[in-house]
Amino acid sequence: MPDSVDPDDLLTRLGWDDRWAAMLGPTALRPARVTRVDRGLYGVLGAAGPDRHGLGPNLLEAAAHDPLDGPCVGDWVTLRDWPDDRVTIDAVLPRRTVLVRAQVGGTSHEQALAANVTTTAVVAGLDQQPSMTKLERLIALAWESGAAPVVLLTKADLARDADDVAADLMSVAPGIEVICCSVLDGRGIERVRELAAAGTVALVGSSGAGKSTLINELVGADVLATRDIRSDGRGRHTSVRRELVLLPSGGCLVDTPGLRGVGLSDTGEGLAATFADVEALIAQCRFTDCAHETEPDCAVRAALDDGRLDVRRYESWQKLQREVAWMARRKDARLRADELKRWKRRTKDQRSARHR
Ligand SMILES: Nc1nc2c(ncn2[C@@H]2O[C@H](COP(=O)(O)OP(=O)(O)OP(=O)(O)O)[C@@H](O)[C@H]2O)c(=O)[nH]1
Ligand SMILES: [Mg+2]
Ligand SMILES: [Zn+2]
């Protein structure tokens, strides 16, 4: 490999293409991709190489109003050069896809985990029996992002029945590719490399699943900290922030810290895609508001009775369905509260205007 990298080539390797260039249009602003968010500072990678910048005034205000409008890892942003040599992040280019999780606890604000991802890899380690219900939740999150989900079963070297687990998963997760991989015997690694070469793969899953280890393996160097084999590390998170890594072989990977308490968004779209089989049954119930309990001609009950629909899967759907409905109600309440605040501010302004 030559030691000097062509700057345009670097942008291309990061995923910059004609569509992004057309979006940006003719401008003196420089494009760069966000690799890391560290409190107020954003690690970016652009034609000029890696750097760290803060937000410009417009974006600062937009992000204060709605955190979703601030840059997240994977975003394409524009850099503005000021006369006094300062550089700030000026704007976020419209996202093609974005992985969002509803914030758990407190407010109903949402958090952007990664943007412009082409594949979301839901990662689970075969050192233990993967929880289908947990995987379904993450698959729903992945569908919502707009990036195609795949399931990565890591540590396949530790399981004798890796292929059986994969087959089980494929039967409950229709249309999703399941990849068994191991950094010890190398299986599945090249498939992940292929997916990355086609764009950007974000890895999500529990702590200790082996996300950072897999990325190091693909990079061919220890660029990310991983859990020490000797530490028991129960419940410990090794990675503490999200990070975009450029692969020498092409494409990008996004490492994320182990996800706990993933909230789904309130649209229910990811859920419908994940449970397409359940949704198809519901469409066949005689009543459109069927509760699938005692109603006549209920397709769901019929499928549960003859085993076409797994009880565990149906219960998982019910639980996530309730959660999405609750999220939607909570968001409504927040919107009403915002509306009220805005109204009060306005009436206050009008009153002070009258007194002037
Ligand atoms: N046997 C085996 N162990 C693995 C494999 N991949 C990862 N591990 C081990 O799994 C442990 C956890 O790996 P990490 O990469 O730190 O896990 P992580 O998903 O990044 O965890 P967080 O950063 O906490 O979210 C480490 O001790 C790794 O050595 C594998 O393919 N086979
Ligand atoms: Mg990690
Ligand atoms: Zn029904």
Side-chain angles (χ1 to χ4, degrees):
M1 261 227 282
D3 5 280
S4 68
V5 183
D6 177 2
D8 285 340
D9 182 50
L10 185 56
L11 280 186
T12 310
R13 282 169 53 209
L14 282 162
W16 187 255
D17 58 21
D18 292 347
R19 267 170 70 207
W20 287 118
M23 181 97 72
L24 182 62
T27 172
L29 303 177
R30 296 180 283 128
R33 200 159 183 204
V34 177
T35 55
R36 190 182 160 108
V37 180
D38 197 350
R39 282 163 229 127
L41 273 184
Y42 296 78
V44 298
L45 194 52
D51 217 332
R52 298 211 301 167
H53 299 300
L55 301 184
N58 299 344
L59 203 49
L60 213 51
E61 194 188 319
H65 184 76
D66 187 347
L68 271 189
D69 290 340
C72 73
V73 167
D75 265 326
W76 281 101
V77 295
T78 50
L79 304 179
R80 178 182 291 277
D81 297 287
W82 295 84
D84 60 0
D85 286 344
R86 276 184 315 125
V87 177
T88 56
I89 299 179
D90 198 65
V92 177
L93 294 188
R95 295 165 178 152
R96 288 182 189 166
T97 64
V98 59
L99 195 60
V100 172
R101 78 154 156 186
Q103 199 86 290
V104 273
T107 64
S108 57
H109 283 291
E110 294 172 321
Q111 185 185 29
L113 299 179
N116 304 315
V117 166
T118 39
T119 303
T120 303
V122 174
V123 185
L126 285 172
D127 49 338
Q128 54 200 62
Q129 182 68 30
S131 152
M132 297 289 179
T133 306
K134 208 164 171 183
L135 287 176
E136 276 161 347
R137 176 185 286 273
L138 287 173
I139 292 168
L141 187 83
W143 277 123
E144 276 169 5
S145 74
V150 298
V151 174
L152 286 187
L153 298 174
T154 54
K155 312 190 195 184
D157 55 278
L158 294 178
R160 226 172 291 134
D161 57 347
D163 293 331
D164 297 341
V165 178
D168 278 357
L169 249 173
M170 276 188 272
S171 70
V172 300
I176 293 184
E177 180 177 357
V178 180
I179 304 159
C180 288
C181 57
S182 161
V183 298
L184 290 193
D185 63 26
R187 89 185 85 161
I189 304 291
E190 287 317 306
R191 179 61 190 133
V192 182
R193 197 186 294 284
E194 264 171 39
L195 290 172
T200 301
V201 178
L203 274 56
V204 298
S206 303
S207 188
K211 300 177 292 297
S212 307
T213 307
L214 180 61
I215 294 177
N216 284 342
E217 176 67 22
L218 287 160
V219 172
D222 287 345
V223 293
L224 300 169
T226 55
R227 181 178 295 179
D228 191 336
I229 299 221
R230 282 156 300 181
S231 80
D232 75 333
R234 232 166 297 137
R236 281 294 204 78
H237 288 227
T238 307
S239 304
V240 290
R241 55 176 58 87
R242 295 178 278 283
E243 185 142 357
L244 180 130
V245 174
L246 181 62
L247 275 189
S249 51
C252 299
L253 293 167
V254 176
D255 189 33
T256 67
L259 282 177
R260 241 189 315 216
V262 182
L264 296 175
S265 88
D266 55 4
T267 63
E269 277 169 36
L271 204 60
T274 309
F275 291 91
D277 50 344
V278 180
E279 300 277 330
L281 288 169
I282 291 171
Q284 293 163 33
C285 291
R286 188 206 294 185
F287 300 109
T288 50
D289 62 347
C290 185
H292 324 300
E293 277 159 13
T294 53
E295 292 85 347
D297 296 331
C298 169
V300 173
R301 283 251 76 90
L304 282 169
D305 287 346
D306 66 19
R308 270 176 299 137
L309 176 60
D310 185 28
V311 176
R312 185 211 56 80
R313 185 164 167 81
Y314 177 61
E315 283 170 356
S316 173
W317 174 82
Q318 272 185 315
K319 179 165 174 285
L320 292 172
Q321 189 69 29
R322 275 196 295 271
E323 187 180 309
V324 165
W326 177 75
M327 282 298 306
R329 280 200 305 277
R330 202 166 60 152
K331 187 162 176 186
D332 278 351
R334 191 186 91 209
L335 289 179
R336 274 199 306 275
D338 278 357
E339 198 64 21
L340 194 65
K341 235 186 279 167
R342 222 171 300 135
W343 176 251
K344 277 186 181 156
R345 209 180 307 134
R346 199 166 57 198
T347 46
K348 205 167 122 203
D349 289 348
Q350 281 167 354
R351 222 178 302 140
S352 48
R354 232 179 289 135
H355 290 298
R356 233 177 262 144

